[in-house]
Amino acid sequence: MAVRNLTVMPTTRATTEEDRPGKPSGNRSAVRSLLRLWPYVRPVRARLFSAAFVAVVASCVGLVIPLVLKWLVDGPVAERDPAGVWLGALYLLLLGLAEALLFGLRRWLVARPLAGVEAAMRADLYRRLQRLPVAFHDRWPSGQLLSRGTGDLMLLRMFLAFPLTFLLVNAVTILVGVIIMLVQDWTLGLVILGPAVPVLVVCVVFERRYAHAARRAQDQVGDLTTVVEESVLGIRIIKGFGRHRSQARAFRELSRTLRGTELYKARLLATIWAAMMTLPEVAIGTALVLGAVRVADGDLSAGTLVAFLSTALALRWPVDSIGFLLALSQEAATATERYFEVMDAEPESTALSGSADGDDRGLRFHGVTFRYPDAPPGSPPVLDRVDLHVRPGESMALVGATGSGKTTLTALVPRLHEVTSGRITLDGVDITAMSREELRGRVAVAFEEPTLFSATVGENVLMGAADGAGDAELDRALAVAQADFVGALPQGVDTQVGEQGLSLSGGQRQRLALARAVVGRPRFLVLDDPLSALDVHTEAAVEAALRQVLADTTALIVAHRPSTVLLADRVALLSGGRITAVGTHHELLRGNAEYARLMSGEEEDGR
Ligand SMILES: Nc1ncnc2c1ncn2[C@@H]1O[C@H](COP(=O)(O)OP(=O)(O)OP(=O)(O)O)[C@@H](O)[C@H]1O
Ligand SMILES: [Mg+2]
């Protein structure tokens, strides 16, 4: 993994809009995107609707306050009645209290269910990521997936908690407020309504631009996450090659781009904010002057003007916040799209049709052709009509020059990739006709790059066994893999191995991966160069132990060294995408020049 990271430096990896997996489609509607959240929101809809209702009530309670003020000014204040003034003050206090309590109730109603919605969506995303084929993961940078599982989901929860409710609440509040103002005095009301049209226009224009900027920003966060993740995983390579400067430059460039996008978003927000603050402000000022003149002339009561202006002021927040709420909704729509890009990706296909044919036992490749889905069109396939039969109980070594497609061929057996044409059978049953569980229960694999998880040694190895496998199996597997170093670890098999098992040596990791492959006593064993990191003596010891396991297992073993090849009953030579020779090691050494060269050249190229 780390080596690949160096060859694919993040500067070239930073995806552009064009080649990004699942790039955004040009015309899409925010509402339509957000509606896709409904299945997740459905279970908490009752709470969400009651919360919205409570918020509407709370907001309307706030609008009663100006009416009480009017009564206070025109009544007790005008008549100089202290008792009445106190009573009015008490009403105002109670109304304010009720408003605050109701908003508190709303928050209480939504907090817990929405955390549940976020958790459910995250669990679904994780499940989907596990089920997506290897080809998907080859294509998608991990940071893009990480950022979807964290940042985007948080945006969605915030959206459901806040903008969703308040867009509704504010709309209702503004409507009720405007009606109240028109009823108080319709001329002043029209003055206040004046700026509505320009504000709406600004909103629509802004919404479109903001949507694009939001999408760009969220994708750039994904790219940035990828760089950070690769730098952390590849820290040894980066330090070893002194690449921290170029890595830092890549990071700086991406974060500068992101900063640019965020600033652009801020400028857009500032524009709309300016429009939404200034225009209503001017309207309120105008209404104040006009109203004051009319109160002086005696054709408007002071109380009405007070009520009118305080209603207008009460509407200030709902109006001002709309820009901000729309911005949040846009970001949520983008996050929803990004989320569903992953959820909509095709998972590994399930069983197709297929049947056992006759006495076709063992592991068999029938005219298998394979081409990587992202290979350039027109390029030759990696595997070209491969026919290979590993008889039951037999171990077959697979030999070929580097890059000849050995790893690719082994990955087809557990269906990490799907064959382009042809088929693979296990004991005569097409692997596409089995369920994934069944297939992966029969076939055990160990790859070139031994990956260990952040867990104990024992847990890492037992991952290869059926549930309920115990210490006996664990010990046997460790013995086969000659992993006696485990005994010397601080807590033996209970020792935690770090992220990707970095605290173990390469050979130690390989032996644990091998133990994982053999622990479940699989019927079919596929080993991709499993002993490459071992010294000659350890290799010989592993081979001796492995020979016993291989006695009753059908195995396909990728090998580079004659010593590993000798483990196998027969050898197949992969060359130019085809199996060009099959036979015993000695037969091929004598009869096949390419094979002889591969086997004898080993010392020269350092294998
Ligand atoms: N995920 C991938 N997407 C596209 N092409 C790939 C992918 N993985 C490998 N290839 C290409 O397929 C070809 C065969 O690769 P493969 O890893 O199977 O070789 P190999 O025989 O295992 O080599 P080695 O002996 O070095 O392990 C190579 O040309 C490689 O570039
Ligand atoms: Mg390989």
Side-chain angles (χ1 to χ4, degrees):
M1 170 115 192
V3 176
R4 228 182 63 199
N5 295 342
L6 188 78
T7 54
V8 187
M9 287 306 282
T11 34
T12 61
R13 184 78 171 266
T15 36
T16 61
E17 297 257 312
E18 267 37 72
D19 65 357
R20 177 181 307 290
K23 70 184 170 94
S25 52
N27 45 5
R28 76 295 175 281
S29 115
V31 176
R32 192 161 343 122
S33 300
L34 289 169
L35 275 179
R36 296 201 61 188
L37 293 175
W38 177 243
Y40 291 100
V41 174
R42 227 182 109 82
V44 299
R45 62 190 187 282
R47 279 235 177 179
L48 216 54
F49 286 139
S50 8
F53 179 73
V54 168
V56 168
V57 173
S59 208
C60 292
V61 166
L63 286 181
V64 179
I65 293 179
L67 299 180
V68 176
L69 273 178
K70 173 183 177 164
W71 167 79
L72 200 61
V73 172
D74 285 347
V77 171
E79 289 152 20
R80 304 194 189 285
D81 164 21
V85 172
W86 279 112
L87 187 65
L90 182 68
Y91 284 154
L92 287 178
L93 183 69
L94 287 179
L95 281 171
L97 213 60
E99 190 184 353
L101 280 178
L102 285 171
F103 274 122
L105 175 65
R106 179 202 81 89
R107 192 164 270 276
W108 177 81
L109 276 174
V110 293
R112 186 189 292 265
L114 288 184
V117 169
E118 189 189 0
M121 291 185 73
R122 188 167 287 135
D124 272 6
L125 183 70
Y126 184 76
R127 208 172 307 131
R128 174 57 58 133
L129 284 179
Q130 302 273 296
R131 287 188 51 215
L132 283 168
V134 175
F136 173 89
H137 289 281
D138 280 353
R139 209 154 36 87
W140 279 70
S142 49
Q144 288 291 353
L145 302 175
L146 268 178
S147 60
R148 280 165 170 76
T150 51
D152 286 340
L153 286 184
M154 200 191 71
L155 274 176
L156 289 184
R157 177 175 46 107
M158 271 171 49
F159 166 74
L160 293 175
F162 201 63
L164 182 63
T165 319
F166 277 94
L167 278 177
L168 173 75
V169 172
N170 290 359
V172 175
T173 311
I174 292 171
L175 192 71
V176 174
V178 164
I179 292 175
I180 290 180
M181 286 195 291
L182 285 175
V183 169
Q184 298 297 324
D185 187 285
W186 64 271
T187 38
L188 288 186
L190 288 182
V191 170
I192 293 275
L193 274 182
V197 175
V199 164
L200 268 180
V201 170
V202 173
C203 263
V204 169
V205 172
F206 153 89
E207 199 236 32
R208 199 152 303 145
R209 294 214 193 134
Y210 197 83
H212 283 289
R215 172 74 207 203
R216 222 169 336 126
Q218 273 150 283
D219 284 344
Q220 285 164 357
V221 169
D223 288 339
L224 204 62
T225 316
T226 307
V227 172
V228 172
E229 201 219 344
E230 287 188 339
S231 311
V232 173
L233 285 177
I235 190 71
R236 282 167 181 73
I237 309 274
I238 291 171
K239 284 189 184 297
F241 285 88
R243 293 310 292 263
H244 50 273
R245 279 218 185 76
S246 61
Q247 197 76 9
R249 203 176 320 122
F251 177 81
R252 259 204 313 280
E253 261 161 35
L254 278 180
S255 58
R256 191 174 320 130
T257 323
L258 177 60
R259 180 169 154 265
T261 315
E262 288 294 344
L263 283 178
Y264 176 65
K265 274 168 63 187
R267 272 199 300 278
L268 283 177
L269 258 184
T271 314
I272 183 141
W273 206 280
M276 292 205 144
M277 298 283 254
T278 323
L279 293 178
E281 208 79 12
V282 171
I284 290 177
T286 315
L288 176 63
V289 173
L290 283 179
V293 169
R294 286 178 49 199
V295 171
D297 287 351
D299 50 339
L300 188 71
S301 82
T304 308
L305 183 60
V306 166
F308 186 88
L309 287 176
S310 39
T311 308
L313 289 176
L315 292 188
R316 276 267 308 277
W317 155 247
V319 172
D320 290 354
S321 62
I322 279 188
F324 164 68
L325 293 175
L326 280 181
L328 277 180
S329 311
Q330 272 305 340
E331 273 167 27
T334 308
T336 313
E337 264 168 47
R338 281 166 47 92
Y339 177 82
F340 280 104
E341 275 166 16
V342 174
M343 297 302 285
D344 292 343
E346 202 61 35
E348 288 181 320
S349 57
T350 44
L352 303 171
S353 63
S355 58
D357 29 354
D359 197 29
D360 196 9
R361 304 187 64 77
L363 165 60
R364 191 155 191 175
F365 289 71
H366 307 257
V368 169
T369 297
F370 179 77
R371 177 198 298 279
Y372 278 100
D374 53 351
S379 60
V382 180
L383 300 175
D384 187 11
R385 289 162 289 149
V386 165
D387 287 308
L388 185 63
H389 186 188
V390 188
R391 298 181 195 123
E394 183 185 42
S395 18
M396 170 84 82
L398 186 65
V399 174
T402 178
S404 57
K406 303 181 296 295
T407 300
T408 308
L409 188 139
T410 51
L412 295 179
V413 181
R415 282 181 77 190
L416 298 185
H417 293 288
E418 302 291 344
V419 298
T420 310
S421 67
R423 53 201 195 95
I424 300 173
T425 55
L426 295 180
D427 287 340
V429 183
D430 195 321
I431 55 171
T432 54
M434 299 178 199
S435 70
R436 300 256 166 198
E437 279 87 27
E438 194 186 342
L439 172 63
R440 289 172 188 171
R442 284 203 211 182
V443 179
V445 286
F447 294 110
E448 284 169 299
E449 289 164 27
T451 305
L452 299 181
F453 294 86
S454 303
T456 68
V457 169
E459 285 161 352
N460 263 294
V461 172
L462 284 174
M463 215 172 254
D467 294 337
D471 288 346
E473 278 92 343
L474 181 59
D475 290 342
R476 190 193 63 98
L478 289 174
V480 169
Q482 297 289 305
D484 38 4
F485 67 90
V486 169
L489 293 175
Q491 281 102 41
V493 291
D494 295 325
T495 310
Q496 282 281 339
V497 284
E499 195 179 335
Q500 298 219 332
L502 283 185
S503 53
L504 296 177
S505 83
Q508 289 170 333
R509 280 188 282 149
Q510 264 196 349
R511 275 176 284 165
L512 289 188
L514 186 62
R516 175 163 58 205
V518 298
V519 71
R521 292 175 185 274
R523 294 248 316 111
F524 296 90
L525 192 59
V526 175
L527 303 178
D528 187 2
D529 207 8
L531 311 174
S532 60
L534 305 186
D535 65 71
V536 194
H537 301 292
T538 315
E539 190 193 350
V542 175
E543 276 159 12
L546 203 51
R547 201 160 266 135
Q548 294 165 16
V549 178
L550 292 182
D552 49 358
T553 308
T554 308
L556 184 62
I557 307 169
V558 173
H560 280 110
R561 302 196 260 195
S563 49
T564 318
V565 171
L566 283 170
L567 263 179
D569 304 307
R570 289 192 302 157
V571 190
L573 178 64
L574 183 62
S575 172
R578 309 212 56 171
I579 300 287
T580 50
V582 180
T584 67
H585 175 61
H586 295 292
E587 283 168 13
L588 291 192
L589 262 190
R590 262 181 275 117
N592 189 300
E594 185 184 358
Y595 184 75
R597 193 173 46 76
L598 275 174
M599 283 293 130
S600 64
E602 302 260 323
E603 286 78 17
E604 288 156 35
D605 68 17
R607 287 269 184 193

